[in-house]
Amino acid sequence: MKKYFSFAPMAVIAMALMTTACSKDDDAAQETQQQQQQTADAYLSENATNPVNTDFTERKYGTQAIADCADIVAQMESANSKIEGASLTEEQTQYLREVLGNIVDNVIVPTYTKLADNTETLEQTLRGLEASTITQAQINEACRLFGEARVQWERSEAFLGGAASDFSVDPTIDSWPLSRTALHTYLTGSMNPEDLDDESILGFHALEFILFRNGQPRKVAEFKSNDTYNGFTNVAGSKELVYAQQVCKLLKERTFQLQVAWQGECSGNAGRVAVVKAAKLGITTEKGLSYGDDLKQAGTANSKYSTIKSAIAQVLSDEEGSAAAIANEVGTAKIANPFRAGEISYVESPYSYRSIIDFQDNIRSVRNVWCGNVNGSRDESVKSFWSFFRKYGQEDINVSVVNSYVKAINSIGNMPAPFVKYCCTVWNKEFSEEEYSEEE
C-alpha cells in the first residue's frame, strides 16, 4: 500500500488578485509587451529526452529530484493560498469555475478515457493467449501496450481526489511493492478469481511482474515451461499467463469505472457503463452526480464542495488526491523511501525499469492540471490556472509553478537509470525480497 506523508503547514496570506492596469499610452503598452517577453524568457524548458547518466554512485541526482518535488508542493500551496486569501470578483469566480470545467473536460476525462482505451486493448491482446501457442512477438506487444496504459495512469495521479479515492481504485490497481509471497501462494493454489481480493497482487505491478524481467519483455520460453525467477521456479508459465488475464480483466473494469465516473453516463460510453455495472462498481457521488459535474458545480447544493475555493484546494493542494499530493508522494515516498531510506523493496516498477518514466509522468499530471490540457502547452485562450494568473497580473506565480515542475521533470530524468539499480548501488544492496515495512 502506498504510504502518504503529511505536508508542512503553510500560512495563508490574504491578498486580493489585482488586474493589470490597462492603458492607451503607447509607452505603457510597449513596457507591458517587454515585461511579457521577459517573463516568457524566464520559463524553463522540459528536456526532450532523458540524458544518459551512468553515475550510479553519485547521490546528488536523487537528492536534487527530491528537492525539486518539494518545490512543486510549495508552489502549489502558494498558488492555492493566493486564491484562498483573495477577495475574488464575480468575473474571477466565474473564470475559475470555467477553469475547473476545462480541467474536467480536457484533462481528466480525456486522460481516463485514453487509460481505459489502452487497458482494454491490452486486455484484448492477453485474452485467449495460451502457453502452447504464445509467441515472443505477442509478449512484446503486450509489454508495449502495458507501457501505453501505464503512461495514462501515471498522468492521472494529480487528480486522484474523487472517484479514484472514493472507490479505492488507486490501491486496487496501483499498490506496490508486489507481494511475491502472496502471489506465489495464489499461483500454486486453485487460482480462483474470486480469491483475488489482495491488493498487493493486483493491478499494474502484478502484470508488470508477469510481463517483464530486468527491463525487458519476458522470454517466451518461460511461458512455455516454468518461471526462472528466484522462488518461482515451481510455477508454470501457463498459470502465470492465466493470472495475467485475470488481473487485466479486473484492471480494465476499474479503468472503465474511472472514465464513466468522471464523464457520466452517455451514449458514447454505454458499453463501458454496462461493464462497470455488471461488476457492481460505483460511478456517482453520494448526491448522485458524476464526478465531473460534482467539480463543475462546486459551490452549489448539489456538490460536495461547499465553495469554489474548496474545490480548487482539492485540485491544487489538499493533502490527498491533489497536484501537490502527488508531487509530495513522488519526492518523499517514491524516490526517498528507496533512495534516501534504503528501502530498496519500495522501488516502484522494478521489473519493467519504468520507475523514472513513472515519476516524470506523475509530475506531468501536475503540469496538465496547471495548463488545462494533456500536453502542457501554455495558451491564453484556454481556461486554466496558468491563464487565470496571467490574466489577473500574477505572472510571477506562473513562472514559479511552471519552473518548479519543469525542474522536477528534468532532475528526475537526470537520475541514473534504471532507478532500482541506482538505489541498490547507493546502498550496496540487492533488490530486496523482503516485504516493505510502513513503520517510520
Side-chain angles (χ1 to χ4, degrees), residues 178-188 198 200-201 232 433-435:
L178 174 74
S179 173
R180 289 179 294 277
T181 300
L183 176 57
H184 185 272
T185 299
Y186 182 79
L187 290 172
T188 54
D198 184 343
S200 70
I201 59 170
F232 282 75
E433 297 295 322
E434 299 177 0
E435 300 299 325

Side-chain angles (χ1 to χ4, degrees), residues 165-284:
S165 297
D166 289 356
F167 301 126
S168 297
V169 178
D170 181 22
T172 301
I173 72 175
D174 196 36
S175 284
W176 86 94
L178 174 74
S179 173
R180 289 179 294 277
T181 300
L183 176 57
H184 185 272
T185 299
Y186 182 79
L187 290 172
T188 54
S190 64
M191 289 187 62
N192 185 346
E194 294 183 0
D195 296 333
L196 275 177
D197 56 1
D198 184 343
E199 294 171 350
S200 70
I201 59 170
L202 290 175
F204 280 111
H205 297 294
L207 278 175
E208 179 198 7
F209 179 78
I210 300 300
L211 294 175
F212 294 88
R213 296 295 160 78
N214 298 320
Q216 298 297 321
R218 282 190 54 196
K219 300 302 182 184
V220 68
E222 292 195 11
F223 287 104
K224 292 180 178 293
S225 56
N226 278 17
D227 200 336
T228 58
Y229 195 86
N230 184 33
F232 282 75
T233 54
N234 65 332
V235 176
S238 58
K239 299 189 75 171
E240 291 180 315
L241 188 57
V242 170
Y243 165 72
Q245 293 163 349
Q246 293 174 345
V247 168
C248 200
K249 178 179 179 293
L250 298 175
L251 180 62
K252 179 189 72 174
E253 291 170 353
R254 287 298 206 157
T255 59
F256 281 11
Q257 180 187 23
L258 289 171
Q259 178 193 345
V260 172
W262 277 93
Q263 190 174 35
E265 296 186 47
C266 62
S267 59
N269 65 22
R272 291 178 176 178
V273 171
V275 170
V276 172
K277 288 186 175 180
K280 299 181 180 180
L281 299 173
I283 57 174
T284 63

Side-chain angles (χ1 to χ4, degrees), residues 52 65 94 170 217 242 255 293 301 329 336 363 373 415:
V52 177
Q94 179 58 29
D170 181 22
V242 170
T255 59
D293 285 342
E329 184 185 346
I363 305 305
N373 54 50
M415 290 192 297

